[in-house]
Amino acid sequence: MTEATPTPAELREHAGALRLHGLQAHWAEVMGDPQQAQWVAQMLSWEAAERGRRSLERRLRAAHIGRFKPLADFDWAWPRSIDRGAVEELMTLDFLKDASNVVLVGPNGVGKTMCACNLGYQAVLAGHTALFITAGNLLGELAALDSDSALRRKLRQYAAPDLLLIDEVGYLSYSNRHADLLFELVSRRYQHKSTVVTTNRAFAEWGEVFPNAACVVSLIDRLMHRAEVVRIDGASYRAKEADERDALRKAERAAKAPASRPRKVAR
């Protein structure tokens, strides 16, 4: 299907979006020459495509998502329990429209981080800003700041992305200060920006993650309000892949090994 040729009004709108003010100032002159108008339309198309590509690259670098398995390669039959429909619906990013949160709960190695990375990647492709970080790195960095002004700047930085992905909440225990910092960050984003959290602990066990922290109930309340909770249960997929690689290596070594010669029987 052939794309419709942009109208002069649409072309001028593109020039404005690209902030080509000199071109806009001479718009009537340019559009009066059909050859020039055609050339300008091509140049605007190239410029918009190149800026879009560079913007995508910048946002991907800033997201710190790293390498991850695409959802298309995920073995849905491996987990004992997973709501595939809920995960695929999350990939449409509808939850970003009303700043809802997402909580992925399950044991180690079942695909929580993979799902979170795919959500972050889809968000960036759709034009949003995203940031992926482990809970340990996030809270460690915030707690290490020794001035209120530096802490406020860093909290504003983490509150800014359209989608913040906090990985591995529950793998370590944290102090009351860490709990307070996470509560402050979640509160800043509450009902304004979406947050994705992966955790190996049910919320009833978060008192063990943040022992004696008074804000835990309020923290969970803000995370859970209008949140989509996806529970994944099963054995570690990474352990499965490691076992498969080990079996493959053993089979390859056995195939390369020379056949043992039969012994000669003495007469």
Side-chain angles (χ1 to χ4, degrees):
M1 188 174 180
T2 306
E3 288 187 14
T5 303
T7 65
E10 290 172 335
L11 289 174
R12 187 164 191 172
E13 187 179 336
H14 291 166
L18 295 171
R19 298 184 180 182
L20 301 176
H21 304 304
L23 176 60
Q24 286 183 296
H26 296 274
W27 192 255
E29 177 186 338
V30 170
M31 288 295 108
D33 185 332
Q35 280 191 321
Q36 277 196 336
Q38 186 177 4
W39 180 81
V40 165
Q42 183 63 73
M43 295 299 291
L44 288 173
S45 175
W46 287 340
E47 184 67 19
E50 179 63 15
R51 291 194 188 189
R53 183 187 67 79
R54 292 186 179 189
S55 174
L56 175 61
E57 289 180 350
R58 283 195 302 271
R59 284 181 285 111
L60 281 173
R61 284 195 300 270
H64 297 297
I65 297 172
R67 295 180 61 185
F68 64 94
K69 176 181 288 190
L71 197 65
D73 295 339
F74 183 62
D75 184 359
W76 294 98
W78 176 252
R80 285 190 293 270
S81 173
I82 184 172
D83 189 339
R84 179 174 181 174
V87 174
E88 291 178 339
E89 185 177 336
L90 287 172
M91 295 300 160
T92 67
L93 305 177
D94 281 348
F95 67 95
L96 290 177
K97 296 174 184 176
D98 59 356
S100 296
N101 297 327
V102 177
V103 181
L104 300 159
V105 187
N108 185 46
V110 294
K112 304 184 302 297
T113 300
M114 180 275 301
C115 289
C117 288
N118 275 273
L119 283 172
Y121 184 71
Q122 289 300 317
V124 173
L125 289 183
H128 300 285
T129 55
L131 176 62
F132 179 93
I133 189 168
T134 64
N137 287 340
L138 169 70
L139 297 178
E141 184 177 10
L142 290 175
L145 297 173
D146 55 6
S147 74
D148 289 343
S149 58
L151 179 58
R152 285 195 298 270
R153 283 195 300 271
K154 188 58 68 174
L155 283 169
R156 282 198 299 270
Q157 177 185 328
Y158 284 129
D162 299 325
L163 183 63
L164 178 64
L165 306 114
I166 306 175
D167 195 32
E168 298 181 346
V169 176
Y171 289 84
L172 301 172
S173 293
Y174 299 98
S175 68
N176 289 357
R177 174 163 168 75
H178 291 108
D180 291 341
L181 290 169
L182 182 58
F183 174 71
E184 173 66 22
L185 177 58
V186 169
S187 296
R188 288 186 179 216
R189 297 182 58 83
Y190 177 59
Q191 295 188 324
H192 297 290
K193 303 287 181 67
S194 293
T195 302
V196 174
V197 170
T198 74
T199 179
N200 63 332
R201 299 287 197 101
F203 282 122
E205 300 172 351
W206 275 36
E208 299 172 23
V209 181
F210 303 101
N212 305 314
C215 66
V216 170
V217 173
S218 297
L219 169 62
I220 293 171
D221 182 64
R222 280 164 173 73
L223 276 176
M224 284 293 292
H225 184 219
R226 296 188 306 174
E228 177 76 40
V229 180
V230 178
R231 292 178 174 83
I232 309 174
D233 187 30
S236 171
Y237 194 82
R238 286 191 290 269
K240 169 182 177 288
E241 288 184 326
D243 290 341
E244 290 174 348
R245 285 194 299 270
D246 186 53
L248 180 61
R249 284 194 292 266
K250 287 179 180 178
E252 289 174 346
R253 285 195 293 267
K256 291 177 183 177
S260 58
R261 295 180 179 177
R263 286 182 167 183
K264 289 185 178 181
V265 179
R267 294 183 178 179

